[in-house]
Amino acid sequence: MDHAADPLEPAAGVIVLTSRTMHTTTTVLHEGHEAVLVDPAWHADELDAIADLLAARSLRVVLGWSTHAHHDHLLWHERFGTAPRLATTAAARSAVGHIDEVRAALAADLRPLAGQVKAYDGGALPWAGGVAEVVAHDAHAPGHGALWLPGVDVLIAGDMLSDLEIPLAGETGPEAYARGLDRLAPYVERAAVLIPGHGHPALAGTADSPKARLRADRAYLAALTRSADGGGDDPRLAAGPAWLRAEHEGNRRAARTSQASEDAPRAEPAT
């Protein structure tokens, strides 16, 4: 993909923009003249284009939300203003603790504003627009904070449930990832639209539905320890870049380690 995709509006009050890098999504929630920016990404010109879109629609950013503390989800642009930028407490703690790593992964012009998120553990985003419930878990990254929009049945999933990426469980492990999927499952069941952090929105009633995404990720995790290349036949790997295959191998190692720990004999309690 050598250019950013055109903005999509999969539900009322929801705009999705896609970066030219790794199909990274930015989601804009808006009501009246106020807007929430979720994971704005990725390059300076793309962030500037987001600001242009907001200006064209007379939208003022009142809040930023980072779904987790990876560098591509902690970006900002001076034209977005000085609205509060929030993440779950665990994600904000991780961002602060790894701020040098976060900024080192970015181009120099993006570093000054990156990672400036504050801890928030409320049940819904603090803005006057439609309800955006925070759905926190520890899959993919500690304190990953998805958003559920009950008014329009939209799940903003962060780096989960992608059509292009397998579960990336290297940071927290396959077991935590499976628990995260369980946490998201009730929302997936109700979702008309699912927006992943990388990839394309999934629409209910289609072959690539939110429920199909959940089934695919659960099947992948379940297959990790079943064969010599468990999960290696996932179509996302066949079509994906080399780094995704490396992530798969990391998942395999983590799954084997976990399985070995479960199979190890337990010491008998002292009597």
Side-chain angles (χ1 to χ4, degrees):
M1 183 175 187
D2 59 3
H3 64 280
D6 292 334
L8 301 174
E9 299 190 46
V14 179
I15 306 170
V16 180
L17 303 100
T18 305
S19 169
R20 61 181 177 268
T21 296
M22 297 176 69
H23 289 77
T24 309
T25 60
T26 297
T27 303
V28 180
L29 311 181
H30 62 95
E31 186 166 313
H33 293 291
E34 296 189 345
V36 175
L37 275 183
V38 182
D39 292 344
W42 175 327
H43 303 285
D45 64 305
E46 294 174 335
L47 297 173
D48 205 41
I50 294 170
D52 287 343
L53 180 147
L54 295 170
R57 298 190 180 213
S58 300
L59 294 174
R60 177 176 61 91
V61 178
V62 297
L63 191 68
W65 180 255
S66 288
T67 56
H68 59 292
H70 290 167
H71 65 274
D72 50 329
H73 297 267
L74 291 169
L75 295 163
W76 202 250
H77 191 285
E78 60 183 8
R79 290 181 60 198
F80 299 156
T82 59
R85 296 164 57 190
L86 307 178
T88 68
T89 292
R93 185 184 302 119
S94 180
V96 170
H98 299 88
I99 192 64
D100 290 340
E101 297 171 36
V102 166
R103 291 177 175 169
L106 298 169
D109 57 346
L110 297 177
R111 293 172 188 166
L113 296 178
Q116 296 181 17
V117 292
K118 297 181 179 179
Y120 179 74
D121 274 336
L125 297 190
W127 81 304
V131 173
E133 298 177 13
V134 178
V135 185
H137 55 79
D138 291 319
H140 183 65
H144 198 297
L147 297 174
W148 169 244
L149 315 181
V152 287
D153 292 340
V154 172
L155 178 62
I156 303 172
D159 279 7
M160 309 278 290
L161 301 164
S162 172
D163 58 326
L164 301 180
E165 296 180 353
I166 58 170
L168 302 179
E171 186 169 347
T172 58
E175 292 180 345
Y177 206 101
R179 290 192 295 270
L181 291 177
D182 289 344
R183 176 83 171 98
L184 293 175
Y187 303 95
V188 171
E189 290 294 320
R190 297 159 55 190
V193 180
L194 183 150
I195 303 168
H198 300 274
H200 306 91
L203 306 179
T206 70
D208 183 28
S209 68
K211 293 178 183 179
R213 297 270 181 98
L214 179 61
R215 288 194 298 270
D217 278 4
R218 281 176 162 166
Y220 171 81
L221 292 178
L224 282 176
T225 57
R226 285 183 183 166
S227 64
D229 190 27
D233 60 350
D234 190 294
R236 292 170 291 189
L237 285 170
W243 69 262
L244 198 62
R245 171 64 65 171
E247 291 285 345
H248 167 63
E249 294 305 324
N251 288 343
R252 293 277 294 137
R253 288 191 295 273
R256 287 195 297 267
T257 298
S258 177
Q259 188 65 50
S261 177
E262 290 183 6
D263 293 343
R266 302 290 195 272
E268 293 293 330
T271 58

